Amino acid sequence: MKRAVLIAMGALALCAACGPMPHQKAAPAAEAACPDESPRLPGTGLCQRTAADLIQRAPGASEIAYPEGCTAAVNETMMIGDEALVYGAQRCGEAVTKLEFAAGAQTAEISLQGYEGVVIRLFGVDPDPQGALKAAIADLPEAARATCEIRPAGIEGWPADALVIAPTAAARAKLPKDEPVAACGPFGLDEDSRSYWRIRQGQAWFFDLGQDDPGFDAPSVTIIAKDASGAWAPRP
């Protein structure tokens, strides 16, 4: 059998100069260059301009200010299956901020490449869109559960749809008024940090961004998915 295969391959090689064989498929054309001549994103194959058009940036969120000498770029992070994250990233020279995705049994974690700590956690929303937030309250000590509630963040510069798990008005009145308050557990309000929830694209997102700009545009992070035709589009 091996000898027959080698003979057949030799015949094909000899015939190559005779012209195309019947029913021979032409080699696929190379991907067209991006309009701005930037390299395609390696995972999705999208041009940066196309990826930028797919981003669904949160209304109400302040624009990120990058350090002097750095500029805005678009980056991607592949998820499970035919899904990816696209987002505004910081470019300083050749270095571009990159997010890393890790899926777990109950939640997924998104971190900054090269840094410790999780900046975004993703939770499911079936059957209750606020189920993850309610579960976070249920995990609090019994005495604290009645003092915490889910409410709009209402903070200027944050996404308009941002939610927080925060002390009720009565509970907040008993807390210090001259210093930042951290209450309602690890997924609760921290007045010394930018931590909030958003419910969108079939996920409950918990952002834990600290005090300083983390080097990427958190309100821009968008899940995109490939459809049956191979086109990428934002996940509903």
Side-chain angles (χ1 to χ4, degrees):
M1 175 63 120
K2 184 175 180 181
R3 178 189 175 97
V5 171
L6 290 172
I7 292 172
M9 290 177 64
L12 287 173
L14 289 172
C15 200
C18 305
M21 295 178 64
H23 311 298
Q24 186 177 6
K25 292 183 178 179
E31 284 187 311
C34 293
D36 59 359
E37 298 185 355
S38 63
R40 290 178 178 271
L41 298 175
T44 60
L46 294 171
C47 295
Q48 288 210 12
R49 186 180 301 173
T50 305
D53 289 342
L54 299 178
I55 288 176
Q56 297 179 331
R57 197 171 190 279
S62 297
E63 295 291 335
I64 185 170
Y66 292 113
E68 185 176 354
C70 299
T71 58
V74 176
N75 212 345
E76 68 176 6
T77 297
M78 302 310 293
M79 300 173 70
I80 295 173
D82 288 332
E83 291 192 329
L85 299 169
V86 288
Y87 46 90
Q90 174 179 293
R91 180 191 296 279
C92 300
E94 296 299 317
V96 180
T97 305
K98 172 80 172 179
L99 298 177
E100 295 183 329
F101 175 85
Q106 303 296 327
T107 181
E109 296 181 347
I110 300 170
S111 56
L112 275 169
Q113 189 176 72
Y115 294 87
E116 294 184 2
V118 177
V119 291
I120 306 173
R121 285 182 168 85
L122 298 178
F123 299 82
V125 293
D126 187 21
D128 183 354
Q130 292 190 353
L133 290 77
K134 293 174 182 177
I137 294 175
D139 287 341
L140 296 173
E142 185 176 357
R145 292 173 202 160
T147 68
C148 295
E149 63 180 359
I150 301 166
R151 60 173 173 79
I155 296 178
E156 185 177 356
W158 285 18
D161 60 357
L163 301 171
V164 289
I165 300 173
T168 62
R172 184 66 180 87
K174 298 176 183 179
L175 297 173
K177 297 177 177 56
D178 57 352
E179 61 185 59
V181 166
C184 301
F187 298 108
L189 177 69
D190 183 352
E191 293 180 341
D192 203 28
S193 177
R194 287 174 299 156
S195 55
Y196 55 83
W197 292 82
R198 297 183 66 202
I199 299 173
R200 55 188 286 269
Q201 292 197 293
Q203 304 283 164
W205 307 59
F206 178 69
F207 293 82
D208 189 6
L209 306 174
Q211 293 180 320
D212 302 320
D213 285 327
F216 74 103
D217 187 19
S220 74
V221 181
T222 302
I223 300 174
I224 60 173
K226 187 185 287 187
D227 63 20
S229 70
W232 290 93
R235 188 209 279 178

